[in-house]
Every structure is written in structure tokens, then in C-alpha cells.
């Protein structure tokens, strides 16, 4: 944003972004100030394509040379018949964003016709339909958005979509994929979330390969909620991860998403578009006729890391919630001070009073990899005894959190909630820890 | 007679900067060794993206049309930033300070706010698909023998990845090394006031010397640290040449200063020669075949002796050919050293994916194409009298596209604006059309930098002192008393290291160690991580008379192989004074025998003294 002084000076001469202006020896197109930089420096695009910042001190004149074209991005409308098509729904994020090249401003916009013009190869997958649900950065999404998505996906499937692709921001894509895994049951067709770690303006963006592989997955036999992203740093193949087992494990790398305590569902080769099924027990296309929508969620659930020095007061502050997921240390332990050390204290009483007051407290491993076992150490045993559930579960804390929201949305009966929680609903818990799970 | 067409030339000089040892947008080392081995490889593809104008850039699209697989070799001096797996960090302030000083030296006005741009590159030389570049200064000038030459822009940029290999097997595999990617670079672009090859060389040298002799001064104290990297590849030039009636042609990769003059003159000459060729084409009413007249000639080569054709055909290629009416003699016309008009057409065909063309102005016997086959060809193509023909051997689709491009190029009767590659013989070859202008948009991941306030709290102020080459040479001759060695030091990569070491040790010993001993050791494959420290400690041993001069190479070799300095000193310990007297006596004062056996342990002049005393 420009300073008030500059804004005023520009208004006075009637100059807007995109107009040709002149100040001192510099002449070029007036550019907007994007977030950073000195608010008193005008950004001018010179004729050689470069931008420079020119400091406007008092008395320095700005002249309007000529009016320019209005800068902006025009999104095209929705299109496509859904029946028999791959339906691509836009939820926002880097993968749906377009750069307005003159200014570098990012528009979270997309339409199916934009998509087809950017990626004509999509036609390989037959008819493509699509529309925008909303344009959000994924960190702004919550259970309200998950509900919208679940309803819209159900609609696409009922309208005859052959598969659904959801373009989504990557930050919380793992949460959404877990939520949809519980909300959309008995899927007759694939539902695939996809994102991009590199912006779409660059030739090196991972958006194309991810979208192509996701479309291949949506055309495949795997009728589950999956998440399709780069498997390695190379542009060679993607993994389709099970929605409840996948986690963003890196801030920036292309292969940020990993299946935890599980094998990916499939490997999708970029050049051949071949889908190699890795989990033979996955739910198959057509195995069920009708999708079952169970979209109710409770938003009175919290997720809390335990850590050295965590205060009982913090635990007590969750008494207003219906559910709390603890991401505990090691095999499922939290400060319990069983040896009565003078410098240590226990959070067990605080957790117990939450449980006793009716809050469903669930355990999950902050190590992410491995399985809980609350029978090995005293602290775990104490948590188990006071009614914290989740023993022997190998779920992700985020998945346990989403599942608890969902379970509390399904029934008010706390006993039934607990039963739902420890039952395997969407591949989020397994009985066996296999050596070939992708622990690295 | 042809009038001397007026030559106009501008030069772009790219110089790698030290940046206090770090890359431009991450903290990886900016120095790297060409001999380093890659740690692993990453494979990437790139696709065209809609550009600023809503259409993909012609040059970018052109490259993308050729399906390519980029293999990136990752080295120890790379991190996730070079791999395009992590956003760039803030701009290296030392590199920016160096460029600001270069701007000052070139009388440029430094901008208030440096805005980093993304310049689209889709040849794979940058993992991101663009190069980060920013204007630091503009509108400067420098004095030259032919008057002022304007400096249009001075930019700070990231260096591209270095190309290792390019497969010609149709796989589209291009291998790049990432150690070079991200090294700070200054780009200086002059206006078109350069009037000759000689003048171009003068300007390049003047700007180059200014940067390479610049020393960083930190907090007012000379640091003895250069701002510009030295050695092969650290400076390179691109040229913009045109003659009256011609067009602006960009010559990339004009790296050797010694050839600069020739590249400029030879391009000017090429444009003149091409205009002559066009005159001949018009005069003779020469005309290439139409696309429809391209014929499959594979049958004419059944059982051919021509390896190129027989191998190609057995791998599924076809021989396509066409007539070039009245082109006989024109295709063979020399337009540049070792390059004919046919070579120009061939370059365009190559861009379609063929290895080259065969044309009738060539000696066809060298391809082992028989006279009988030529006769068959001429008949099929209806080639008569002054007609010529062109053949390509490739998979049908590519071959057809290649000939289409030959036709299109042969029809152009003006000098096309092109980007050409500088060839080592002083000529150049067509690379691609001149890139469009609209290839840039803002890099929003990096905040703008303020030249007036480069350094944040806690970082020292950096200025740059520029010393002239003459001044440095005078000082070197004074120290070394040897003009030849002074020249070698001045032009080589060791100038600053020499200056640091010559403060402490005998200058001539330092010079020979750096320029001769180290070169010989490197040839053996001996490498040092901390050259200055290792050389310093060997020279220290020599200075303290713990070893003799002749042992310096062996001591260096031993240290490189993991020996400690003390260990190496013991191994090659100098025999001197009483011990030497004793040894001389034992060996009956036989100088030859003693030196043969103890060359690495005895100082010859000391031995001579002992002999003198004895006599």
C-alpha cells in the first residue's frame, strides 16, 4: 500500500494503477505496492520490463503521461456437464491461483475453461466439468467449509461424476482429506484432493503434474478419499495417499505430503499416467452404489500438544469443550510425576476432571510414526485408567482431532462416541504395524 | 563494391561476485570447484505458462515445444533454494553493496528501491523457470577512446545452472549442475555506441578490470577481499551487433576476451555477406520448394553405403528431401568462417530436432552417398541445372518440420533478429528467435532492497575501493621484479590470495607456489579445501627454515593427503648447520651425490657455503 501522501498525489493528477506516469528521469507504468517495501516509494514498470522503486520526497513531481489499460484478471464462468465427467471443484489455494503478470498480484481464481486452456492435456481424461466452491487460503478453512465441500461432492456424485478432483490449499489439505474420509462414506467413485507447492506462474510449478496425476487417480478404480501430490523432489511420479493417513511434513518441498503408518494407496506415473495400486485392500469403484453423506461435525473439539512444563491450568481451560485430543509424548505419556519428584508435577488430575465432567479425551502420538501403548509406563497407564481413549491406535493427531469432531457430530451419546472413535471407519487405524510403511 | 556498412554494437558484461562467500538468495557458498562431484540428481520438467500479455512468450514457447527432461545435479554447495524446494531468502547485502559501488564507478544513478523481478527462462537453466534479476542503477557512462559509451542498466542477478550435457538421442534429456545456480552476478549493459570489434574489447576490458581489481573495504578498513570472482567462467559477455541494413543480433556466451573482437567483426561481416546472398537469391529468382513438394526419398537409398542414412533408417527414420530451385552455389556460399548459407539453414532445421541437413553444395562423397543415388535423387526431386536439393534423415514428423523451417528461413530475405551462440572459432550459430520483451514480472517472495540502507543493525558497512590495473601491475613488478610473473598474477585467479600471502612471505616464492606448484598438483588430482591456509602453513615452514624451497610441493601434497603440518615438516625436515656439516663430511663433500640424495632436505647455497669454508 502506498502512503497517504502518494495516494493523494496520484489522485490529484488522476493517475491509477496501469497508467503511464513520469517522475524525474523515470517514466513507465504505475504499479501497485504489494505488501512489502517503502510506502513512500513509487513502483514504476520501465519499458525494459523491470520495476524500480522511486522515492517521492516532498516537492517531487509526478506527471500523468497517458491513461493505460485496466489491470485485472477476468475469471471465466463455470462450465461442463457433470454426468460422466471428471468434476474439478476449486476450493482455493496456490493451485487455483493465477498471477496477474504486470503487477505480480495473486488472484485466487479459477474456472474450468481457465484450467483447460492452461492444461489442454486434461482432455485425455475425457469430459471435464468444474466450478469454484470458494477461494480461500487453506489456513482460513474450518469445519464449515468441510461441510460445504462434502455436500458439493455428494451432489457431483449424484449428478453422475465419474470422479471428483478437489483443488485445495496445501497447508490444511490433510485435515480436509481426513474430514471428507469420515463424512463421505461408501464412495462409488474416487474423490481426490490436489494442491501445489509452487505457484502456477512458474514453468517449474508442480501444479500440472499433480493435477494430471490426480485426474488419473480420479479416473481409477480406487473409490476412496485420497490426496495426490508429488512423491519425490523429481517430476517423476505422484502418490495417492489415503485421506486419513496423510500429513504435510515439509513447509516447502514438492514431496511434502507423506503417508504415515500406512502405505500410499497408489503410485501414479506422470509420463504414462499409469495408476499402480499399492494397497490391494482399497475400496473399489462401484463396490457401493450410493454415497452416504454423514456431514455433521462438532466444532467444540480441541487439539493440544503436551510438552515438558505443560500446566494443569491449561488442561482445565478446555472444560467448555466436548472433546479434546492430546498429542502426547512417546508411547502415549504425559507429565504424571509417579515418582513424586519435587520439581515435577502431574496433569493427570486435570485430565481426570475433564473426563469426569463428560469431555471425551483422546490420545494420539506426537511422534506421528508408531502406535500408542498406554500399558508400558505409569503415565500411560494412568491416562488409560482415568478414561482417556485411543490405546493401541496408530492414528495421526490431526486425524484423531477431525474424527472426534465427526464422532461428536454423529451422536450425543458419549459411550457411542467412544465406540465410534476406536473403530476403524476410514482406514485411520490399523491393527498391524508393517515394516514397509513409509517411515523415513 | 559494397560500401562499409556502419557497425553498431552494445555489450552485456556478466561478472560473478564473491558476495562475501555466499550466494545471492541463500547462504550456500558462492565459490565452487568445477571438479566437484554431484551428490544426487533430481529430474524436472517445465511447461509454458501464460505470460504478462496473456499469451505465452514466443521464445519461451519455442523452447517448450521441444519436449525436454531436465536433470539437475546437486552439489555440496546447494540447498533447497537452488532446487526450487524452498523460497529464496533475503538478498545478500554484500553482493548488493558491491553492485552499488560498481554503479557509482560507472556514473549510474542508483535506484531508491531495488525491486526483484522474475525473468522467464524455460531452457531449464533455472530450476524455478525464471531468473531473479533487479535493476540497481541506470543511465551511466564510461569514457573510451571513441568517446563516451552509455551504460543503460546495471542489474544484480542470480547466476544460472551450468549445462553439463544435452542428449542428442531424442530423449530430450538435458543435464545441469546446480553448484553455479544462485551465485551473485552483476550485469552491465552498454548502449549501442560501440563502433568496432577493437572498441568493444576496450570497453569490455575497462569494465572487467574495474570490477576485478575492486577491493571490499569494511568499516573503513581494507579487507584484502575481492568483490568479483576470478578464474575461468567468472566473467562473460553477450553482444548485440547490427550493421546498417541488417538487424540486431544477440550473441550469447562470448566468454573469451581474446575472441571478442573477432565475434563482433565476424557478425557484422556475416550480416553483410547475408545481404549479398539475398541479392543473389533475388537476382537468380531462386526459390525453395513448397511444403507440399517435400518427398520421401528413403527408397532411393536401399542398400546405401551412407552410414548416417542406413543407421537412421534402421532406427525408423525416413529420408525426406526437397528441391531448392536455382539455389546451386548459393547454399555453399561462405557467410562466416567455416560456415556457409547452408549452415544457417541447417541451424533452423536443428531447432526442429534433426542433427543437421545434407545439401547438394556439399561434398556428398564424404557422406558416402554414391553418384547413382544422387542421380536417383535428382530425378525424383526434378533437380535440374542450377537447382540444389536438401535432405534430412529423421523420424518423418520431425524431418518434415525441419524442412518446413528450412523453407521458411530460405524465404526470409532480410537479416532475422536472432539469438546466436558464440562459436570457439569466432563465428556463431543460430540458437533461437530474439526473446520477446514481456518476459518479466515481480518476484513477490523477496522484499525490495534499499541501496541507501543495505545493512541492517549489527552488520558492518561495506564500501569498495577500485584500483586500476596499471597501479596493481606496477606494484606487482616492484614486488616480483619479473614482468611475466606479474602479468600472470594480474590476469589469473590468484591476485588477491597473492596479495594476502606476499605481505608475509617472499613474493616470488608465493607467486611460483600459486601459479606453478598448485597448478601442477591440481593436474595430479591433488585438491585443497583451504588453499590459502595450506599454502600459508607450507610457506611458514619455509620461512622458519624448517624445510627447503624444493620441498614445498611435497609438503603441500602430503598435507592434502591428510598429513598434519607438523608431520609433513618432520618428513621433509631441513638438514642444516652442524648436521649438514656432519653429513657433508660423511659424504666426502661430493656435492652431486649429496644433492641427489638429499635434494628435498638441503638448501644448496648453504651447502656451497660449507664447502667454501672447508676450502
Amino acid at each position: 500500500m502506498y502512503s497517504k501522501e502518494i495516494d493523494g498525489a496520484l489522485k490529484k493528477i488522476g493517475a491509477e494503477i496501469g497508467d503511464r506516469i513520469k517522475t524525474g528521469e523515470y517514466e513507465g507504468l504505475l504499479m501497485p505496492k504489494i505488501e512489502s517495501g517503502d510506502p513512500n516509494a513509487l513502483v514504476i514498470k520501465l519499458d525494459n520490463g523491470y520495476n524500480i522503486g522511486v522515492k517521492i520526497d516532498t516537492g517531487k513531481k509526478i506527471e500523468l503521461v497517458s491513461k493505460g489499460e485496466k489491470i485485472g484478471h477476468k475469471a471465466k464462468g463455470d462450465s461442463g456437464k457433470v454426468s460422466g465427467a471428471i468434476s474439478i471443484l476449486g476450493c482455493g489455494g496456490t493451485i487455483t491461483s493465477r498471477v496477474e503478470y504486470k503487477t505480480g498480484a495473486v488472484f485466487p481464481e479459477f474456472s474450468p475453461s481457465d484450467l483447460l486452456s492452461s492444461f489442454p492435456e486434461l482432455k485425455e481424461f475425457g469430459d471435464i466439468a468444474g466450478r469454484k466452491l470458494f477461494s480461500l487460503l487453506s489456513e482460513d478453512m474450518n469445519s464449515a467449509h468441510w461441510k460445504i465441500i462434502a455436500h458439493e461432492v455428494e451432489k457431483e456424485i449424484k449428478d453422475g461424476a465419474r470422479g471428483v478432483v478437489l483443488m485445495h490449499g496445501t497447508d490444511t489439505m490433510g485435515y480436509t482429506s481426513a474430514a471428507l474420509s469420515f463424512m463421505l462414506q461408501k464412495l462409488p467413485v474416487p474423490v481426490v484432493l490436489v494442491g501445489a507447492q509452487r505457484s502456477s506462474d512458474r514453468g517449474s510449478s508442480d501444479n500440472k503434474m499433480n493435477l494430471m496425476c490426480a485426474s488419473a487417480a480420479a479416473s481409477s478404480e480406487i473409490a476412496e478419499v485420497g490426496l495426490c501430490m508429488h512423491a519425490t523432489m523429481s517430476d517423476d511420479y505422484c502418490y495417492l495417499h489415503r485421506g486419513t493417513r496423510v500429513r504435510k511434513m515439509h513447509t516447502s518441498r514438492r514431496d511434502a505430503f507423506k503417508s504415515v503408518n500406512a502405505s500410499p494407496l497408489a503410485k501414479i506415473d506422470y509420463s504414462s499416467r499409469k495408476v499402480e495400486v499399492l494397497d490391494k485392500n482399497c475400496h473399489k469403484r462401484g463396490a457401493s452404489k450410493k454415497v452416504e453423506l454423514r456431514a455433521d461435525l462438532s466444532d467444540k473439539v480441541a487439539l493440544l500438544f503436551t510438552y515438558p512444563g505443560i500446566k494443569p491450568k491449561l488442561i482445565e481451560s478446555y472444560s467448555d469443550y466436548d472433546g479434546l485430543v492430546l498429542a502426547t509424548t512417546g508411547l502415549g505419556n504425559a507429565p504424571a510425576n509417579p515418582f513424586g519428584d519435587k520439581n515435577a508435577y502431574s496433569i493427570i488430575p486435570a485430565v481426570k476432571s475433564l473426563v469426569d465432567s463428560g469431555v471425551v479425551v483422546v490420545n494420539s502420538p506426537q511422534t506421528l510414526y508408531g502406535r500408542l501403548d498406554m500399558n508400558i509406563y505409569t503415565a500411560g497407564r494412568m491416562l488409560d485408567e482415568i478414561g482417556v481413549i485411543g490405546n493401541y491406535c496408530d492414528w495421526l493427531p490431526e486425524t484423531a482431532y477431525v474424527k472426534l469432531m465427526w464422532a461428536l457430530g454423529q451422536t450425543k451419546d458419549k459411550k457411542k462416541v467412544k465406540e465410534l472413535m476406536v473403530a476403524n471407519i476410514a482406514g485411520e487405524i490399523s491393527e498391524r504395524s508393517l515394516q514397509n510403511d513409509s517411515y523415513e | 563494391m559494397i560500401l562499409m556498412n556502419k557497425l553498431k554494437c552494445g555489450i552485456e558484461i556478466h561478472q560473478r561476485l564473491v558476495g562475501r562467500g555466499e550466494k545471492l538468495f541463500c547462504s550456500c557458498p558462492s565459490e565452487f570447484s568445477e571438479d566437484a562431484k554431484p551428490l544426487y540428481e533430481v529430474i524436472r520438467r517445465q511447461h509454458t505458462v501464460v505470460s504478462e500479455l496473456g499469451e505465452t512468450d514466443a521464445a519461451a514457447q519455442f523452447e517448450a515445444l521441444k519436449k525436454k527432461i531436465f536433470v539437475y545435479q546437486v552439489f555440496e554447495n546447494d540447498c533447497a533454494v537452488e532446487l526450487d524446494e524452498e523460497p529464496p531468502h533475503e538478498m545478500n547485502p554484500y553482493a548488493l553493496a558491491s553492485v552499488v559501488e560498481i554503479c557509482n564507478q560507472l556514473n549510474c544513478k542508483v535506484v531508491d528501491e531495488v525491486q526483484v523481478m522474475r525473468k522467464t527462462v524455460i531452457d531449464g537453466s533455472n530450476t524455478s523457470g525464471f531468473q531473479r534479476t533487479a535493476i540497481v542503477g541506470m543511465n551511466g557512462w564510461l569514457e573510451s577512446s571513441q568517446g563516451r559509451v552509455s551504460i543503460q542498466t546495471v542489474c544484480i542477478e542470480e547466476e544460472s545452472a551450468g549445462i553439463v550435457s544435452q542428449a542428442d538421442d531424442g530423449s530430450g534429456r538435458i543435464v545441469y549442475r546446480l553448484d553455479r545456480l544462485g551465485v551473485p552476478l552483476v550485469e552491465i549493459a552498454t548502449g549501442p555506441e560501440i563502433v568496432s570489434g577493437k572498441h568493444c574489447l576496450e570497453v569490455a576490458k575497462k569494465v572487467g578490470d574495474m570490477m576485478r581489481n575492486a577491493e571490499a573495504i569494511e568499516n573503513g578498513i581494507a579487507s584484502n577481499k575481492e568483490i568479483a570472482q576470478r578464474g575461468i567462467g567468472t566473467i562473460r559477455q553477450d553482444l548485440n551487433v547490427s550493421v546498417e541494413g541488417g538487424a540486431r543480433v544477440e550473441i550469447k556466451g562470448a566468454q573469451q576476451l581474446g575472441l571478442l573482437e573477432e565475434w563482433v567483426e565476424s557478425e557484422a561481416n556475416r550480416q553483410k555477406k547475408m545481404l549479398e546472398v539475398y541479392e543473389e537469391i533475388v537476382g537468380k529468382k531462386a526459390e525453395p520448394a513448397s511444403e507440399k513438394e517435400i518427398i520421401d526419398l528413403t527408397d532411393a537409398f536401399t542398400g546405401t553405403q551412407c552410414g548416417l542414412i542406413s543407421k537412421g533408417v534402421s532406427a525408423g527414420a525416413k529420408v525426406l528431401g526437397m528441391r531448392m530451385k536455382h539455389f546451386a552455389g548459393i547454399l555453399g556460399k561462405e557467410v562466416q568462417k567455416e560456415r556457409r548459407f547452408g549452415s544457417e539453414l541447417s541451424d533452423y532445421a536443428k531447432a526442429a530436432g534433426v542433427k543437421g541437413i545434407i545439401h547438394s553444395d556439399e561434398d556428398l562423397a564424404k557422406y558416402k552417398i554414391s553418384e547413382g543415388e544422387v542421380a536417383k535423387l535428382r530425378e525424383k526431386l526434378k533437380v535440374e541445372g542450377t537447382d540444389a536439393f536438401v535432405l534430412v534423415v529423421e523420424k518423418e514428423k520431425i524431418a518434415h518440420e525441419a524442412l518446413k523451417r528450412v523453407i521458411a528461413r530460405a524465404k526470409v530475405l532480410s537479416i532475422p533478429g536472432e539469438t546466436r551462440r558464440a562459436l570457439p572459432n569466432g563465428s556463431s550459430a543460430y540458437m533461437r528467435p530474439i526473446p520477446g520483451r514481456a518476459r518479466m514480472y515481480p518476484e513477490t517472495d523477496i522484499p525490495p532492497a534499499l541501496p541507501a540502507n543495505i545493512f541492517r543493525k549489527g552488520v558492518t558497512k561495506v564500501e569498495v575501493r577500485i584500483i586500476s590495473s596499471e597501479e596493481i601491475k606496477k606494484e606487482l613488478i616492484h614486488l616480483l621484479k619479473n614482468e611475466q610473473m606479474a602479468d600472470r598474477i594480474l590476469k589469473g585467479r590468484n591476485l588477491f590470495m597473492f596479495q594476502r600471502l606476499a605481505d608475509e612471505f617472499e613474493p616470488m616464492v608465493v607467486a611460483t607456489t600459486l601459479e606453478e606448484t598448485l597448478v601442477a598438483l591440481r593436474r595430479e588430482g591433488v585438491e585443497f579445501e583451504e588453499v590459502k591456509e595450506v599454502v600459508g602453513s607450507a610457506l611458514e615452514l619455509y620461512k622458519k627454515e624448517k624445510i627447503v624451497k624444493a620441498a614445498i610441493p611435497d609438503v603441500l601434497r602430503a598435507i592434502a593427503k591428510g598429513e598434519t603440518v607438523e608431520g609433513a615438516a618432520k618428513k621433509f625436515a631441513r638438514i642444516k648447520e652442524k648436521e649438514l656439516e656432519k653429513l657433508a663430511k660423511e659424504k666426502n663433500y661430493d656435492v652431486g651425490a649429496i644433492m641427489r640424495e638429499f635434494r628435498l632436505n638441503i638448501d644448496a647455497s648453504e651447502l656451497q657455503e660449507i664447502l667454501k669454508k672447508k676450502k
Side-chain angles (χ1 to χ4, degrees), chain A residues 220 231 235 296 346 392:
Chain A
S220 77
D235 291 337
D296 289 326
S346 171
Y392 302 121

Side-chain angles (χ1 to χ4, degrees), chain A residues 262-339:
Chain A
S263 153
L265 289 169
K267 176 179 169 179
I268 300 142
D269 186 74
Y270 182 36
S271 338
S272 67
R273 321 274 197 241
K274 204 182 142 240
V275 180
E276 182 193 336
V277 177
L278 301 176
D279 183 343
K280 305 282 181 236
N281 299 321
C282 64
H283 187 70
K284 301 283 179 338
R285 177 189 284 274
S288 37
K289 290 270 175 291
K290 211 176 141 230
V291 60
E292 211 175 283
L293 181 70
R294 301 176 69 178
D296 289 326
L297 300 172
S298 161
D299 60 359
K300 289 177 76 180
V301 177
L303 170 60
L304 177 69
F305 254 60
T306 66
Y307 46 85
I310 186 170
K311 303 284 186 294
K313 262 219 152 90
L314 181 66
I315 305 284
E316 285 159 17
S317 70
Y318 289 94
S319 58
D320 285 347
Y321 283 73
D322 291 338
L324 172 67
V325 174
L326 294 174
T328 59
T329 53
L331 288 158
N333 304 310
N337 198 16
F339 307 129

Side-chain angles (χ1 to χ4, degrees), chain A residues 95 165 170 192-198 205-216 228-231 235 237-238 254 270:
Chain A
I95 191 162
V165 173
T170 57
V192 183
L193 289 96
V194 66
Q197 289 282 83
R198 295 280 92 74
S205 172
D206 53 335
N207 62 355
K208 183 176 176 184
M209 170 165 143
N210 292 346
L211 183 60
M212 291 305 145
C213 292
S215 303
C228 185
M229 290 288 282
H230 263 63
D235 291 337
Y237 58 95
C238 280
R254 286 166 172 73
Y270 182 36

Side-chain angles (χ1 to χ4, degrees), chain B residues 575 579-598 602 607 611 614:
Chain B
I575 303 171
E579 230 183 310
L580 183 59
E581 280 171 31
K582 202 174 129 201
L583 180 76
K585 200 171 168 190
E586 273 171 26
K587 298 275 174 188
N588 282 330
Y589 301 100
D590 180 346
V591 181
I594 298 172
M595 286 312 289
R596 261 196 302 283
E597 199 175 337
F598 296 99
I602 291 172
L607 184 60
L611 291 183
K614 195 219 151 211

Side-chain angles (χ1 to χ4, degrees), chain A residues 101-112:
Chain A
Y101 283 87
K102 267 190 184 148
T103 58
V106 178
F107 292 84
E109 275 295 352
F110 114 104
S111 75

Side-chain angles (χ1 to χ4, degrees), chain A residues 20-291:
Chain A
R20 196 172 179 85
I21 58 159
K22 192 178 171 195
T23 178
E25 59 190 295
Y26 302 112
E27 185 178 321
L29 303 183
L30 176 64
M31 292 290 112
K33 192 111 218 170
I34 300 168
E35 287 168 19
S36 54
D38 181 351
N40 279 313
L42 267 189
V43 181
I44 297 179
K45 187 176 199 64
L46 303 172
D47 290 341
N48 61 14
Y50 279 95
N51 289 7
I52 56 166
V54 184
K55 196 142 173 134
I56 301 299
D57 303 320
T58 37
K60 206 167 191 175
K61 257 181 73 181
I62 310 170
E63 293 167 57
L64 175 67
V65 178
S66 60
K67 292 297 281 182
E69 273 175 57
K70 259 224 160 0
I71 293 175
H73 177 87
K74 281 177 227 120
K76 294 163 195 152
D78 299 342
S79 74
K81 185 173 59 99
V82 175
S83 178
I86 299 292
S87 167
I88 302 181
L89 302 179
C91 305
T94 298
I95 191 162
T96 65
S97 63
R98 295 285 168 269
V99 166
E100 195 285 294
Y101 283 87
K102 267 190 184 148
T103 58
V106 178
F107 292 84
E109 275 295 352
F110 114 104
S111 75
S113 43
D114 276 347
L115 267 183
L116 282 169
S117 69
S118 297
F119 311 113
E121 295 96 326
L122 274 175
K123 292 191 189 108
E124 285 172 31
F125 304 102
D127 289 345
I128 301 290
R131 60 206 162 86
K132 183 179 88 176
L133 302 186
F134 39 77
S135 290
L136 277 181
L137 298 171
S138 72
E139 61 269 29
D140 289 329
M141 288 170 68
N142 56 46
S143 59
H145 303 98
W146 302 342
K147 285 179 198 166
I148 296 172
I149 298 172
H151 278 107
E152 296 293 339
V153 170
E154 187 211 19
K155 184 173 174 294
E156 298 299 290
I157 295 172
K158 279 186 172 165
D159 286 350
R162 203 158 47 81
V164 180
V165 173
L166 288 164
M167 296 170 95
H168 197 290
T170 57
D171 275 15
T172 68
M173 186 157 65
Y175 289 82
T176 306
S177 70
L180 295 178
S181 302
F182 298 114
M183 296 159 89
L184 293 162
Q185 297 192 5
K186 299 190 178 153
L187 280 173
V189 299
V191 174
V192 183
L193 289 96
V194 66
Q197 289 282 83
R198 295 280 92 74
S199 56
S200 57
D201 59 278
R202 51 181 97 196
S204 65
S205 172
D206 53 335
N207 62 355
K208 183 176 176 184
M209 170 165 143
N210 292 346
L211 183 60
M212 291 305 145
C213 292
S215 303
S219 311
S220 77
E221 292 307 301
I222 306 169
E224 290 201 25
V225 174
L227 186 156
C228 185
M229 290 288 282
H230 263 63
T232 72
M233 288 200 286
S234 290
D235 291 337
D236 43 10
Y237 58 95
C238 280
Y239 276 142
L240 179 69
H241 302 276
R242 179 166 271 140
T244 51
R245 285 296 197 177
V246 62
R247 191 173 195 276
K248 189 176 187 182
M249 299 293 277
H250 199 278
T251 56
S252 58
R253 266 167 63 158
R254 286 166 172 73
D255 59 347
F257 285 85
K258 302 283 180 204
S259 282
V260 177
N261 295 331
S263 153
L265 289 169
K267 176 179 169 179
I268 300 142
D269 186 74
Y270 182 36
S271 338
S272 67
R273 321 274 197 241
K274 204 182 142 240
V275 180
E276 182 193 336
V277 177
L278 301 176
D279 183 343
K280 305 282 181 236
N281 299 321
C282 64
H283 187 70
K284 301 283 179 338
R285 177 189 284 274
S288 37
K289 290 270 175 291
K290 211 176 141 230
V291 60

Side-chain angles (χ1 to χ4, degrees), chain B residues 263-497:
Chain B
W263 275 313
V264 173
E265 297 293 344
S266 130
E267 173 55 25
N269 219 22
R270 186 190 68 92
Q271 296 198 12
K272 281 180 237 166
K273 285 269 172 65
M274 292 292 280
L275 293 173
E276 286 174 34
V277 169
Y278 296 155
E279 265 176 46
E280 204 177 328
I281 290 175
V282 173
K284 289 185 173 169
K285 295 198 170 119
E287 200 187 342
S290 77
E291 198 191 317
K292 281 183 207 142
E293 292 168 283
I294 294 172
I295 295 176
D296 184 346
L297 298 163
T298 317
D299 287 348
F301 292 97
T302 322
T304 185
Q305 293 294 302
C306 171
L308 183 93
I309 293 177
S310 63
K311 257 190 228 154
V313 170
S314 61
K318 297 257 185 221
V319 184
L320 297 195
M322 62 180 180
R323 179 175 64 159
M324 303 278 285
K325 208 173 173 186
H326 303 318
F327 262 96
I330 297 178
L331 295 179
K333 203 145 189 213
E334 195 174 75
V335 291
Q336 245 183 343
K337 201 180 187 177
E338 289 158 37
R339 286 182 56 84
R340 288 150 221 296
F341 184 57
S343 326
E344 295 283 315
L345 298 182
S346 181
D347 289 341
Y348 276 75
K350 279 179 191 163
V354 300
K355 292 196 182 82
I357 62 171
I358 300 172
H359 63 77
S360 50
D361 276 357
E362 288 181 277
D363 175 13
L364 297 173
K366 108 185 155 191
Y367 294 101
K368 294 202 174 144
I369 295 175
S370 71
E371 277 174 33
E373 285 163 343
V374 174
K376 256 193 262 175
L377 283 181
R378 294 180 70 94
E379 195 193 319
K380 284 196 170 200
L381 289 169
K382 298 190 184 109
V383 170
E384 291 161 9
T386 55
D387 296 346
F389 61 79
V390 172
L391 306 178
V392 289
V393 187
E394 216 2 293
K395 300 224 167 60
E396 193 168 356
K397 232 174 140 182
I398 300 171
H400 193 87
E401 177 61 30
L403 288 180
K404 251 173 76 182
R405 293 190 189 200
V406 169
I407 295 169
R409 175 64 190 89
K411 280 185 174 166
V412 175
L413 297 182
S414 59
I415 309 285
E418 298 172 337
T419 300
R420 299 175 70 87
R421 184 185 313 114
L423 297 176
N425 69 353
S427 60
S428 63
Y430 168 78
M431 257 172 101
R432 54 168 187 252
I434 277 215
R437 287 154 60 87
R439 292 204 308 160
M440 258 188 284
Y441 62 102
E443 165 60 272
T444 41
D445 295 345
I446 301 164
L450 308 172
N453 186 19
I454 295 173
F455 295 96
R456 295 178 168 212
K457 254 191 292 177
V459 183
T460 50
K461 185 183 176 203
V462 172
E463 299 161 292
V464 168
R465 182 171 71 194
I466 315 262
I467 315 157
S468 75
S469 282
E470 291 74 34
E471 223 175 297
I472 295 180
K473 194 167 168 184
K474 225 191 272 168
E475 190 194 321
L476 288 175
I477 291 174
H478 170 76
L479 281 172
L480 293 166
K481 320 266 184 282
N482 178 329
E483 193 173 342
Q484 212 185 342
M485 187 56 99
D487 256 343
R488 274 174 78 176
I489 293 283
L490 183 63
K491 288 179 183 147
R493 64 192 299 172
N494 295 318
L495 174 65
F496 281 83
M497 204 187 299

